[in-house]
Short mmCIF file of all heavy atoms in Angstrom, two decimals:
data_model
loop_
_atom_site.label_atom_id
_atom_site.label_comp_id
_atom_site.label_asym_id
_atom_site.label_seq_id
_atom_site.Cartn_x
_atom_site.Cartn_y
_atom_site.Cartn_z
N ALA M 262 48.94 -208.93 -25.89
CA ALA M 262 48.93 -210.34 -25.48
C ALA M 262 49.61 -210.49 -24.12
O ALA M 262 49.12 -211.18 -23.22
CB ALA M 262 49.63 -211.19 -26.52
N TYR M 263 50.74 -209.78 -23.92
CA TYR M 263 51.48 -209.89 -22.66
C TYR M 263 50.73 -209.20 -21.52
O TYR M 263 50.82 -209.59 -20.37
CB TYR M 263 52.88 -209.29 -22.80
CG TYR M 263 53.91 -210.31 -23.19
CD1 TYR M 263 53.95 -210.83 -24.48
CD2 TYR M 263 54.84 -210.79 -22.27
CE1 TYR M 263 54.89 -211.78 -24.84
CE2 TYR M 263 55.79 -211.74 -22.62
CZ TYR M 263 55.81 -212.23 -23.92
OH TYR M 263 56.74 -213.18 -24.26
N MET M 264 49.98 -208.13 -21.86
CA MET M 264 49.28 -207.39 -20.81
C MET M 264 47.92 -208.01 -20.50
O MET M 264 47.25 -207.60 -19.55
CB MET M 264 49.09 -205.92 -21.21
CG MET M 264 50.39 -205.13 -21.17
SD MET M 264 50.20 -203.45 -21.73
CE MET M 264 49.18 -202.72 -20.47
N GLY M 265 47.49 -208.94 -21.30
CA GLY M 265 46.23 -209.63 -21.05
C GLY M 265 45.02 -208.72 -21.18
O GLY M 265 44.03 -208.87 -20.48
N GLY M 266 45.12 -207.72 -22.07
CA GLY M 266 43.97 -206.85 -22.36
C GLY M 266 43.59 -205.91 -21.22
O GLY M 266 42.51 -205.35 -21.22
N ILE M 267 44.50 -205.70 -20.25
CA ILE M 267 44.12 -204.87 -19.09
C ILE M 267 43.95 -203.40 -19.42
O ILE M 267 43.33 -202.67 -18.68
CB ILE M 267 45.14 -205.01 -17.92
CG1 ILE M 267 46.56 -204.75 -18.43
CG2 ILE M 267 44.99 -206.35 -17.24
CD1 ILE M 267 47.61 -204.81 -17.32
N ALA M 268 44.51 -202.97 -20.54
CA ALA M 268 44.50 -201.53 -20.81
C ALA M 268 43.55 -201.11 -21.92
O ALA M 268 43.52 -199.95 -22.29
CB ALA M 268 45.92 -201.07 -21.14
N GLY M 269 42.74 -202.00 -22.45
CA GLY M 269 41.86 -201.64 -23.56
C GLY M 269 42.69 -201.34 -24.80
O GLY M 269 43.79 -201.87 -24.97
N THR M 270 42.19 -200.44 -25.65
CA THR M 270 42.95 -200.08 -26.86
C THR M 270 44.16 -199.25 -26.45
O THR M 270 44.05 -198.35 -25.61
CB THR M 270 42.06 -199.23 -27.80
OG1 THR M 270 40.85 -199.96 -27.97
CG2 THR M 270 42.73 -198.99 -29.13
N ILE M 271 45.32 -199.54 -27.06
CA ILE M 271 46.51 -198.80 -26.63
C ILE M 271 47.25 -198.18 -27.80
O ILE M 271 47.22 -198.67 -28.92
CB ILE M 271 47.49 -199.71 -25.82
CG1 ILE M 271 47.76 -201.03 -26.56
CG2 ILE M 271 46.99 -199.96 -24.45
CD1 ILE M 271 48.68 -201.96 -25.79
N ARG M 272 47.88 -197.05 -27.49
CA ARG M 272 48.76 -196.41 -28.46
C ARG M 272 50.12 -196.26 -27.80
O ARG M 272 50.23 -195.91 -26.62
CB ARG M 272 48.22 -195.03 -28.84
CG ARG M 272 47.35 -195.11 -30.07
CD ARG M 272 46.68 -193.80 -30.36
NE ARG M 272 45.69 -193.51 -29.33
CZ ARG M 272 45.44 -192.30 -28.85
NH1 ARG M 272 46.12 -191.27 -29.26
NH2 ARG M 272 44.52 -192.11 -27.94
N ASN M 273 51.15 -196.55 -28.57
CA ASN M 273 52.50 -196.65 -28.03
C ASN M 273 53.30 -195.36 -28.21
O ASN M 273 53.16 -194.69 -29.22
CB ASN M 273 53.16 -197.83 -28.78
CG ASN M 273 54.59 -198.05 -28.39
OD1 ASN M 273 55.39 -198.45 -29.20
ND2 ASN M 273 54.92 -197.79 -27.15
N GLY M 274 54.14 -195.04 -27.23
CA GLY M 274 55.07 -193.93 -27.38
C GLY M 274 56.42 -194.46 -27.84
O GLY M 274 56.56 -195.63 -28.13
N LYS M 275 57.41 -193.59 -27.88
CA LYS M 275 58.74 -193.99 -28.36
C LYS M 275 59.38 -194.98 -27.38
O LYS M 275 59.29 -194.80 -26.18
CB LYS M 275 59.60 -192.72 -28.47
CG LYS M 275 60.84 -192.90 -29.27
CD LYS M 275 61.46 -191.54 -29.56
CE LYS M 275 62.72 -191.65 -30.41
NZ LYS M 275 63.73 -192.53 -29.88
N ARG M 276 60.00 -196.03 -27.92
CA ARG M 276 60.62 -197.06 -27.05
C ARG M 276 62.10 -196.77 -26.82
O ARG M 276 62.79 -196.34 -27.74
CB ARG M 276 60.52 -198.43 -27.74
CG ARG M 276 59.14 -198.98 -27.80
CD ARG M 276 59.10 -200.13 -28.80
NE ARG M 276 58.14 -199.83 -29.87
CZ ARG M 276 58.13 -200.44 -31.05
NH1 ARG M 276 59.01 -201.36 -31.34
NH2 ARG M 276 57.24 -200.12 -31.94
N SER M 277 62.60 -197.05 -25.59
CA SER M 277 64.04 -196.97 -25.32
C SER M 277 64.52 -198.34 -24.90
O SER M 277 63.82 -199.04 -24.15
CB SER M 277 64.35 -196.03 -24.16
OG SER M 277 63.71 -194.82 -24.33
N LEU M 278 65.70 -198.72 -25.36
CA LEU M 278 66.27 -200.02 -24.99
C LEU M 278 67.37 -199.78 -23.96
O LEU M 278 68.30 -199.02 -24.21
CB LEU M 278 66.84 -200.70 -26.23
CG LEU M 278 67.34 -202.14 -26.04
CD1 LEU M 278 66.19 -203.08 -25.74
CD2 LEU M 278 68.08 -202.61 -27.28
N LEU M 279 67.26 -200.41 -22.79
CA LEU M 279 68.22 -200.18 -21.72
C LEU M 279 68.84 -201.50 -21.28
O LEU M 279 68.11 -202.47 -21.05
CB LEU M 279 67.52 -199.55 -20.50
CG LEU M 279 66.64 -198.35 -20.81
CD1 LEU M 279 65.57 -198.16 -19.77
CD2 LEU M 279 67.52 -197.12 -20.90
N ILE M 280 70.15 -201.55 -21.20
CA ILE M 280 70.84 -202.76 -20.74
C ILE M 280 70.81 -202.71 -19.22
O ILE M 280 71.25 -201.73 -18.62
CB ILE M 280 72.32 -202.78 -21.20
CG1 ILE M 280 72.43 -202.45 -22.69
CG2 ILE M 280 73.02 -204.07 -20.79
CD1 ILE M 280 72.38 -203.58 -23.65
N SER M 281 70.29 -203.75 -18.56
CA SER M 281 70.23 -203.68 -17.09
C SER M 281 71.53 -204.20 -16.48
O SER M 281 72.14 -205.15 -16.97
CB SER M 281 69.02 -204.45 -16.54
OG SER M 281 68.86 -205.65 -17.22
N ARG M 282 71.94 -203.54 -15.43
CA ARG M 282 73.23 -203.80 -14.80
C ARG M 282 73.14 -203.48 -13.32
O ARG M 282 72.50 -202.50 -12.93
CB ARG M 282 74.26 -202.88 -15.49
CG ARG M 282 75.65 -203.12 -15.07
CD ARG M 282 76.65 -202.15 -15.64
NE ARG M 282 77.87 -202.33 -14.87
CZ ARG M 282 78.75 -203.28 -15.11
NH1 ARG M 282 78.62 -204.06 -16.13
NH2 ARG M 282 79.78 -203.46 -14.31
N ALA M 283 73.75 -204.30 -12.47
CA ALA M 283 73.80 -204.01 -11.03
C ALA M 283 75.16 -203.39 -10.72
O ALA M 283 76.18 -203.85 -11.26
CB ALA M 283 73.63 -205.29 -10.23
#
Side-chain angles (χ1 to χ4, degrees):
Y263 268 73
M264 288 176 67
I267 52 178
T270 308
I271 50 182
R272 267 173 291 143
N273 177 213
K275 195 169 181 306
R276 290 165 239 161
S277 310
L278 186 67
L279 310 155
I280 312 270
S281 42
R282 186 185 166 82

